[in-house]
Amino acid sequence: MISRKEFLRRRQALMEQMEPESIAIIPSARDRLRNRDVEYPFRQDSDFFYLTGFDEPDAVAVLIPGREHGEYVLFCRERHREQEIWNGYRAGQEGAIKQFDADDAFPIADLDEILPGLIEGKSRVYYAMGRNPEFDRRVMEWVNTIRAKVRSGAVPPGEFFVLDHLLHEMRLFKSKAEIAVMERAAEISAGAHVRAMQSCRPGMYEYQLEAEYLHEFTRAGSRLPAYSSIVGGGANACILHYRENNAELKDGDLVLVDAGCELAYYASDITRTFPVNGRFSAEQRAIYDLVLEAQYAAIKAVKPGNHWNHPHEAAVKVIARGLVKLGLLNGDVDTLIKEESYRPFFMHRTGHWLGMDVHDVGDYKIGGEWRVLEAGMVLTVEPGIYIALDNEDVEARWRGIGVRIEDDVLVTGRGHKVLTSGVPKEASEIEALMASAKNIAHNQRC
Ligand code: GLY
Ligand code: MN
Ligand code: MN
């Protein structure tokens, strides 16, 4: 887990990069209604949590480098006996200082009264404009409050600066403690994929397989998945963001599962594709092995000095060549790549940054060029091949096959480390795992 010291180091590192005479304003996430009187499970905003470790709604963190009465000010809910009986514990202002290391804390209800005074006289405001229109309006109101008083000597800020530039660059590079949490999240998710492979049977429903993941995540200490799990049997695997998860898993089909847990605000993101009955058909195996070969090639390209797009280029090369070999594409491989003729089969990119958000923050290009990979970055590597049911350009035996294989990869000083290696991905290993689970189940019945 992330220590209070590390949260403090993050705030200090951010403040060191801020201009003199500046202020940063970071609002928390809000509770959101799912239906009348029922809220979605609360999930703190990643930027806010990264800097504070504070997981309550209705809070605003303010950083003011050099402020005499404390550089870190936290506005949060007041303690409230009755509210706490109904809805749970609140840290209050005393807790904000004692447990969360705020230098100064005020009730959130006093924000309009106090914040303009903190902004006044600062030349630059760091704020993530455009993410929360309601809060944007309030920030403008506070600035206007100061502007209205210029004739009595008040000085409004001259400049707004998008906080994301500094903060997201920090979040892109994972510390030792962050890597440890991400390794544990990856391990839990890998265990869930193993459990699902062991439990999968023809006749089950996709949501029943999903339940194996949810069970394993929760059992291991993760209360929620990092994103909606995708459990797509047969041709449902070809719907990239399939979410219904309500079809029967059929004998002879593959099932594609994209599921990862969130642990202590860090995501894991794994996809495995396996045969519902435990044995790949010849066509499924051919596509599977091709995706796996592409994934290995892409992972190999994850190393310091290579740029962001190298793994994708490596995957595309293998997939285009393989599709020609299987007769699914015709033509010269280089031309097919240049013309992107592989896109009807492989229409997404090979990965994304991974961290507190599944699609994590951080620039992919710098000055118009692909960014160079550096130690401490974490990314996914997830090539796939999806053959639509209505693709009349290919023989019928290939149609409806969808395969993606996704792992989480840390860039290290010398190369990379796959964080999600706890779940097999060689076709033969998957078959062996599923066969042994079947045998155990059979013996238990006899
Ligand atoms: N699970 C989301 C993704 O793979 O990008
Ligand atoms: Mn992913
Ligand atoms: Mn995924």
Side-chain angles (χ1 to χ4, degrees):
M1 304 301 117
I2 307 301
S3 66
R4 283 167 66 170
K5 247 195 186 148
E6 181 151 338
F7 287 114
L8 173 67
R9 270 203 301 274
R10 293 170 177 177
R11 289 190 295 271
Q12 284 172 339
L14 178 62
M15 284 194 276
E16 272 164 27
Q17 297 173 68
M18 289 165 62
E19 296 276 311
E21 296 303 313
S22 63
I23 180 170
I25 304 169
I26 308 111
S28 74
R30 289 165 301 173
D31 268 324
R32 284 173 203 275
L33 278 191
R34 185 175 184 279
N35 59 54
R36 185 195 288 267
D37 291 344
V38 178
E39 282 140 6
Y40 282 102
F42 179 72
R43 200 319 188 141
Q44 188 56 279
D45 174 79
S46 296
D47 282 342
F48 183 92
F49 194 82
Y50 181 82
L51 291 170
T52 64
F54 190 70
D55 64 357
E56 293 185 24
D58 300 326
V60 176
V62 181
L63 298 178
I64 313 163
R67 178 171 175 259
E68 203 178 316
H69 304 294
E71 298 182 311
Y72 170 31
V73 182
L74 188 58
F75 291 85
C76 59
R77 302 178 302 186
E78 283 183 277
R79 303 275 328 252
H80 189 293
R81 190 170 153 69
E82 200 191 352
Q83 279 290 334
E84 288 183 55
I85 287 170
W86 283 88
N87 298 319
Y89 175 75
R90 298 173 171 195
Q93 286 64 55
E94 197 182 324
I97 291 169
K98 285 201 176 135
Q99 296 161 47
F100 295 92
D101 302 315
D103 298 316
D104 219 348
F106 300 104
I108 188 71
D110 295 347
L111 193 62
D112 289 328
E113 204 177 301
I114 296 173
L115 200 51
L118 296 176
I119 297 172
E120 203 216 305
K122 302 291 173 296
S123 53
R124 177 181 273 198
V125 178
Y126 291 85
Y127 171 65
M129 188 70 69
R131 237 192 271 166
N132 175 346
E134 197 185 311
F135 202 84
D136 288 355
R137 247 192 326 274
R138 292 184 72 186
V139 172
M140 284 307 134
E141 276 167 22
W142 296 322
V143 173
N144 285 336
T145 310
I146 303 167
R147 282 192 185 131
K149 290 195 234 157
V150 279
R151 274 186 296 278
S152 13
V155 183
E159 229 184 349
F160 274 81
F161 197 84
V162 189
L163 181 67
D164 302 13
H165 289 306
L166 302 179
L167 195 51
H168 293 178
E169 191 66 14
M170 287 170 63
R171 280 180 53 193
L172 178 58
F173 292 89
K174 275 67 180 177
S175 70
K176 243 182 169 166
E178 289 181 291
I179 291 166
V181 177
M182 291 188 75
E183 282 185 315
R184 179 66 190 136
E187 189 179 27
I188 294 170
S189 297
H193 279 270
V194 168
R195 181 186 167 106
M197 286 177 188
Q198 290 170 325
S199 322
C200 188
R201 302 281 181 275
M204 276 175 88
Y205 280 77
E206 291 165 342
Y207 53 78
Q208 291 176 314
L209 195 60
E210 183 181 11
E212 301 294 333
Y213 287 85
L214 298 176
H215 175 98
E216 191 59 23
F217 292 168
T218 313
R219 197 195 61 76
S222 148
R223 292 288 309 279
L224 282 173
Y227 52 91
S228 304
S229 309
I230 297 168
V231 184
N236 291 339
C238 299
I239 303 166
L240 296 179
H241 291 159
Y242 179 67
R243 222 159 292 167
E244 287 79 0
N245 297 359
N246 58 5
E248 190 178 339
L249 294 169
K250 303 248 171 61
D251 202 347
D253 277 351
L254 295 176
V255 57
L256 180 155
V257 186
D258 187 343
C261 72
E262 180 176 287
L263 184 70
Y265 280 89
Y266 287 85
S268 56
D269 185 5
I270 304 183
T271 307
R272 287 292 182 270
T273 310
F274 47 96
V276 169
N277 65 13
R279 301 281 301 175
F280 287 90
S281 74
E283 286 78 14
Q284 290 166 351
R285 178 73 188 252
I287 299 298
Y288 187 89
D289 284 346
L290 180 52
V291 174
L292 187 58
E293 189 191 340
Q295 207 228 13
Y296 281 136
I299 290 176
K300 202 168 155 213
V302 177
K303 58 180 177 191
N306 269 3
H307 62 60
W308 167 258
N309 210 40
H310 270 131
H312 182 64
E313 287 166 7
V316 162
K317 209 172 193 173
V318 172
I319 285 176
R321 200 174 55 207
L323 289 172
V324 170
K325 219 163 161 186
L326 293 174
L328 289 158
L329 271 183
N330 294 307
D332 168 62
V333 174
D334 289 337
T335 313
L336 293 171
I337 291 174
K338 217 163 88 206
E339 291 173 355
E340 300 194 343
S341 312
Y342 56 85
R343 282 186 68 91
F345 301 96
F346 178 29
M347 59 295 277
H348 59 76
R349 295 197 50 85
T350 299
H352 48 82
W353 302 129
L354 184 72
M356 298 183 76
D357 295 316
V358 185
H359 292 180
D360 207 29
V361 294
D363 291 331
Y364 291 96
K365 280 189 170 178
I366 291 182
E369 301 290 332
W370 292 114
R371 174 171 208 146
V372 172
L373 298 175
E374 292 175 63
M377 296 170 164
V378 181
L379 58 143
T380 67
V381 178
E382 48 178 310
I385 294 178
Y386 314 89
I387 309 172
L389 273 178
D390 61 359
N391 186 339
E392 310 240 318
D393 298 333
V394 304
E395 285 176 57
R397 65 194 172 105
W398 298 108
R399 293 178 204 155
I401 296 178
V403 174
R404 178 165 67 255
I405 305 169
E406 174 175 31
D407 282 301
D408 303 343
V409 183
L410 164 72
V411 186
T412 61
R414 295 217 184 144
H416 62 257
K417 181 178 179 190
V418 178
L419 304 181
T420 42
S421 55
V423 50
K425 59 182 173 183
E426 285 286 339
S428 57
E429 288 173 342
I430 291 174
E431 287 186 342
L433 176 70
M434 295 182 76
S436 71
K438 247 189 210 169
N439 284 340
I440 293 167
H442 178 77
N443 291 341
Q444 278 170 348
R445 272 199 305 273
C446 296

